[in-house]
Structures are given as structure tokens and as C-alpha cells.
Amino acid sequence: MHLPARTPVEKMTGPYERRWWALLVLCLSLLIVVMANTSLIVAAPDMTKALGLSSSDLQWVIDGYTVPYAALMLVLGSIGDKYSRRGALIAGLLVFAGGSVMGSLVDRTELVITARAIMGVGAAVVMPATLSLLVATFPRAERAKAITAWTATSGLAIAVGPVVAGWLLEDHAWSSTFLINVPIAVVAVFGALALVPPSRAEGMGRIDYVGGLLSIVSVGSLVYAAIEGPHFGWGTGPVTAAVVAGVGLLAFVAWELRHPHPMLDVRKFALRPFGGSMLAVLFFFFGTFGAIYYATQFLQFVLGYDALQTGVRLLPLAGAVFAGAAATGRLAPKLGVKALVTTGMAIGTVGVVLLVQVDKASGYGDFLPTLLLLGFAIGLSVSPATDTIMGSFPEAELGVGGGANDTALELGGSLGIAILGSLLGTAYRNELTDLAGGQLPATAMETAKDSVGGGLAVAEQLAQSASAGPQQAQALVDAVHESFAQAVARTSLVGGIIMAAGTMIVLAVLPGLRSAGKPPSQEAPAPRTTAAESARDEEHAHSR
């Protein structure tokens, strides 16, 4: 029987303790990957001022990370399966750290976007590696608890990223929000070498690079079209990308159905547990990321909180994630995946719909229930959905499984920010035109309509202008606040409707507890247990 090599920590502790120390390293790696997105939310105003970013520039500073991150996870997860999951984790952390160093040193927009893209490539290696190593390290009896901790870390990062970035921005430039990733990545690299056991798929055949390339083209084009089209108009670029995404997806499905060893067996989507769980992750993060995106802007631009104050006010979300995760551990065996996932989605839907009440007079207290409900919903529903997705893959395909789960998560979040962000911008422009149209010069009005930040900047210029004065400036501030509040309310209604529809779809697709006893061929893919996996589970049993 071949067992994994003993690490330095295993020489001091048993395998049981070792795998929980390994989980700590995996969660730390996951933390900085998610924080790289959320910390930029509060750093965006400082970056915009320092670099003179346009609305398009800022969008691509954010999404320069998202596009490679979403597009590459499936392929890079498969490469990690074949050669080394731990090696992939370490390589991804080093690439991520290198991009972070570059981002902290450059002072030109195109170079910042390049640095973010490099970080996105590193994240696309790290994210599926953390999940595949987790499943490879933990026996089935402990896996749900470990995935719950992994999910809770994602929720923690959503709230901690803005807090850390806000604290740094109190005394440092925006570049510090990049540099903070480096020491954490270095600690994670050494932790992986010392604590995480090596893992790779035994007997895995050649990688399906054609399928991998088609997946990159399909997902990358879809994310690009979703970002560019709603925000900047459906011109030649976004329309071409949408067509390429559609054709690429059809080609990917056709190729994978015919390939003897496909990168992703697309037949899994016809199986209700897997297909329903993938839809749940996508719909859930569509609404959650979109709502957090514009709620954070309201806290900063309308309520006037600085970066640190905004980050602190997002912390209740993290606490609610842990509460939801704790409830999942107790309720999952009794209620099953369907009940927890759909209940969590329904709670998240209520959280988004509550923001329909937002108006210019709203304060932080109006956003707190939404943050608490979204956080609790993340903790309650994402963990069982992820556990179901990963349970659909054999040991040889854990990296692909992690890539599929994380692609659904990132694609849902990207579409949420792009589509709901576009609706938000359109509603804001229309409302501001009604409230302040004709009161400003054409150039100033166009700047004010570009974004809520642009509107407040124009008001600041008016306050300092001899021809305008404080009264006209204050009138514009009031119009901007009112317009943005109305935009948040209308966008939340649309987001809530989409999440409600997604909840009903998932409710119809996921099998209930009565289906749990059906043969795998009817409801769930039967995980293929390899010799390496059997040996690992036997080792786990003896370690207890």
C-alpha cells in the first residue's frame, strides 16, 4: 500500500491533526484570492483619483482579474490533477504574489490592469487547488465539515477584504492594498510545503487540451460580453464576444460528448444533484455579489463613510456566514441538501429585496438586515451545494471538480456585478437627468451622469466655482444621492426577481431526501473509488 510521504508536521502530530493544519493553509490561500476582489471595492475611489481612471478603466481594473480567473480554472484544475495539486497551489500563490508586487509598483492604468490579470491567472490555479486538496486530504466522514470551513472562509474574505484595505488606506496609498497579499502568500507557500500532503491523480490519461481551450474561449468570451455589453453598449466587441461564447459553448459540449476522456463530462449536468447545485451556486452569487457591489457604493458615496468605516460595517456579514455554517453542520444530516440550499437561496432573495425600500434618507441600519441575511444564506447553502458538486467527481478529477464549482461561483458573481451594475448605472443616469437636467453645462452633466462618484466630483467643483456657489452644489449633491438611492431600489427589485426565479428552478431540479436512496444512475454520478483513494480512507480510519 502506497501512502503519502510524511511531512515535518506529521512527524510531530498524527495524520488527523495534520489534515486540519493543512485545511488552515488551504483556507489562508483562499482568503487572499477572494480578498483581492473585495478589497478593491473600497480602494477604487483612491485609485480613480490617483490614476485618473475613467469609468471604463475602473471596470477593467476590476475585471482584468475576473476574466482570466473565471476562464482558466477548469483547465488549470485539470493540470493540477495530473501533475501535482500541491505544486499547483504553490505555483499559483507565487504567480499571485508576483502580480501583487507589480500592481503595487506601477502607476499607469494599463500596467495596473496587466498586474490584475496576472493575479487572476494565479487565482485560477489557487482556487480549484484548495478545493481539490481539501477533498483529497479529508475522508468522506469529515469532508462536509472541511468544506463548511472552506465556504466560511469565502464569506469571511468578502468582509475582511474591505476592512484590511480600509485600514491600509488610512495612512498609505492604494498600492498598499496590492502589497498586503505578498506576505500572506509567502506564509501560505511555506505552510503548503510543511503541512499539505502531496496529491495527484493516479493513472490519469492525457489532458483534453482541445476541450480546455474551448472552455477558456467560451467562459472568457461570455464574461467579457457580460462586462462590456451592459456597461458600455452592445457594439462590435461585445456582440462578437457573445457570438464566440455561444459557438464555443456548443463546440465544447459536442467535443466533450465525443471525447473518450473529456476534461469535463458534460453529462453530469443532466444529473439532478450536480446540475441543481451548479445552478444554485451561480444564481446565489449573481445576487449576492451584485447587492454587495452597490450597497458598498451607497455606504461610501451617499452615507459618506471612508474606506475603513465601510469595511467595518461589512463585518456583520462575516459573523452571519459563520452562524449559517454552524447551522449547516447540525441541519444537513436531518434536512438534506435540497432543503438547506433552497432555504438559503430564499433567505438571500429576501435580503436583496429588502433594499427595494432604500431612499435618500436611508442609513446603515437599512442595509444591516440585508448583510446579515446574505451572510447567513452563504453559510447555510453554499457548503452543501459545493459538497454535492465535489462528490460528483472521482479522485482523478478533483481539480476539475473544484474548477467547475469555482467557475460557477465566479461566473455568477461576474454576471451579477455586470448586469445589476449596468441596471444600476442606467437607472441612476435616467433619474439624474430628470432631477438635474438643464441645470448644468453639457460637459459637467455628462460627467455627473457617468457615476455617483462623478456626480459628487462635479458638485465639489461647483462649490469652489465663483459662478455657481454652495447652494447649486448642494442641490446637485441632493440630486445625486436621490438618483443613486432610487437606482439601488430598482436594481434590487430586479435582482430579487432573478434570485427568486433561480430559487424556484433549483427547487425543481434538486432531488429531495426520498431520492437519496435511488441508484446512482438515476440521481447522482457514482464516484469512482481508486486504489489511492481507498488507501487514503483506510489511513484516515486508522488515524482516528
Side-chain angles (χ1 to χ4, degrees), residues 21 105 125 149 170 172 193 203 222 224 239 282 315 344 407 413 465 542:
W21 279 107
L105 297 176
V125 184
E170 289 284 293
H172 304 282
L193 290 170
L222 177 59
Y224 175 84
V239 169
L282 190 146
L315 283 177
T407 299
S465 170
H542 286 305

Side-chain angles (χ1 to χ4, degrees), residues 56 82 95 138 146 150 237 268 282-283 297 299 322 337 400 416 466:
S56 176
K82 182 172 180 62
V95 171
F138 282 84
W150 185 90
K268 291 183 187 294
L282 190 146
F283 275 112
Q297 291 188 58
L299 295 179
F322 283 101
V337 171
V400 174

Side-chain angles (χ1 to χ4, degrees), residues 217-218 220-222 224-225 228-229 233-248:
V217 171
S218 301
S221 298
L222 177 59
Y224 175 84
E228 283 286 296
W234 288 97
T236 303
V239 169
T240 302
V243 172
V244 170
V247 174

Side-chain angles (χ1 to χ4, degrees), residues 328 331-343 380 384 388 511-513 516:
T328 295
L331 297 176
K334 300 177 182 178
L335 302 180
V337 171
K338 180 174 184 174
L340 288 182
V341 170
T342 54
T343 299
L380 188 68
T388 301
L513 281 175

Side-chain angles (χ1 to χ4, degrees), residues 22 27 85 103 125 130 148 184 206 263 271 278 284 335 346 354 390 409 446 453 456 460 496 512 514 533:
C27 288
R85 293 168 182 142
V125 184
T130 61
T148 298
I184 301 175
R206 295 178 60 185
M263 175 160 289
L271 301 169
M278 288 285 286
F284 187 82
L335 302 180
L354 283 178
M390 293 304 295
L409 186 157
E446 284 303 311
L456 295 177
E460 186 176 345
R514 290 184 180 180
E533 189 173 22

Side-chain angles (χ1 to χ4, degrees), residues 352-409:
V352 173
V353 171
L354 283 178
L355 295 181
V356 170
Q357 307 174 74
V358 167
D359 57 28
K360 187 179 70 172
S362 295
Y364 173 65
D366 296 288
F367 287 85
L368 182 58
T370 293
L371 295 175
L372 292 173
L373 290 174
L374 287 176
F376 187 80
I378 290 172
L380 188 68
S381 63
V382 176
S383 172
T386 298
D387 194 18
T388 301
I389 291 169
M390 293 304 295
S392 301
F393 290 86
E395 194 273 343
E397 299 174 10
L398 294 179
V400 174
N405 178 85
D406 300 335
T407 299
L409 186 157

Side-chain angles (χ1 to χ4, degrees), residues 79-380:
I79 292 173
D81 278 339
K82 182 172 180 62
Y83 297 106
S84 172
R85 293 168 182 142
R86 185 177 70 172
L89 175 66
I90 292 170
L93 287 167
L94 292 175
V95 171
F96 186 87
S100 299
V101 171
M102 177 181 174
S104 70
L105 297 176
V106 298
D107 58 0
R108 288 165 48 196
T109 302
E110 60 271 22
L111 294 178
V112 174
I113 295 172
T114 300
R116 289 277 295 171
I118 293 171
M119 292 170 64
V121 173
V125 184
V126 171
M127 189 83 162
T130 61
L131 199 48
S132 62
L133 282 165
L134 182 154
V135 175
T137 302
F138 282 84
R140 292 180 182 86
E142 299 172 3
R143 197 170 294 164
K145 292 181 180 179
I147 289 178
T148 298
W150 185 90
T151 302
T153 301
S154 298
L156 178 66
I158 292 173
V160 169
V163 173
V164 173
W167 172 67
L168 290 169
L169 291 169
E170 289 284 293
D171 299 307
H172 304 282
W174 60 266
S175 58
S176 62
T177 60
F178 282 78
L179 206 56
I180 190 61
N181 297 320
V182 178
I184 301 175
V186 170
V187 170
V189 166
F190 283 104
L193 290 170
L195 302 168
V196 178
S199 171
R200 68 183 181 92
E202 298 292 338
M204 181 177 173
R206 295 178 60 185
I207 294 176
D208 174 20
Y209 284 112
V210 173
L213 179 61
L214 289 172
S215 74
I216 292 172
V217 171
S218 301
V219 176
S221 298
L222 177 59
V223 173
Y224 175 84
I227 291 167
E228 283 286 296
H231 277 282
F232 308 115
W234 288 97
T236 303
V239 169
T240 302
V243 172
V244 170
V247 174
L249 180 60
L250 292 174
F252 174 74
V253 172
W255 176 266
E256 297 299 276
L257 286 173
R258 297 181 61 185
H259 199 280
H261 301 288
M263 175 160 289
L264 175 64
D265 184 358
V266 294
R267 296 176 182 86
K268 291 183 187 294
F269 287 94
L271 301 169
R272 292 172 63 193
F274 178 80
S277 296
M278 288 285 286
L279 285 172
V281 171
L282 190 146
F283 275 112
F284 187 82
F285 281 97
F286 175 95
T288 300
F289 273 49
I292 292 174
Y293 173 74
Y294 55 73
T296 304
Q297 291 188 58
F298 193 97
L299 295 179
Q300 288 184 286
F301 291 114
V302 178
L303 298 184
Y305 296 125
D306 63 23
L308 180 58
Q309 291 169 332
T310 299
V312 169
R313 281 162 178 79
L314 292 177
L315 283 177
L317 184 144
V321 170
F322 283 101
T328 295
R330 289 192 293 269
L331 297 176
K334 300 177 182 178
L335 302 180
V337 171
K338 180 174 184 174
L340 288 182
V341 170
T342 54
T343 299
M345 292 183 70
I347 291 172
T349 300
V350 172
V352 173
V353 171
L354 283 178
L355 295 181
V356 170
Q357 307 174 74
V358 167
D359 57 28
K360 187 179 70 172
S362 295
Y364 173 65
D366 296 288
F367 287 85
L368 182 58
T370 293
L371 295 175
L372 292 173
L373 290 174
L374 287 176
F376 187 80
I378 290 172
L380 188 68

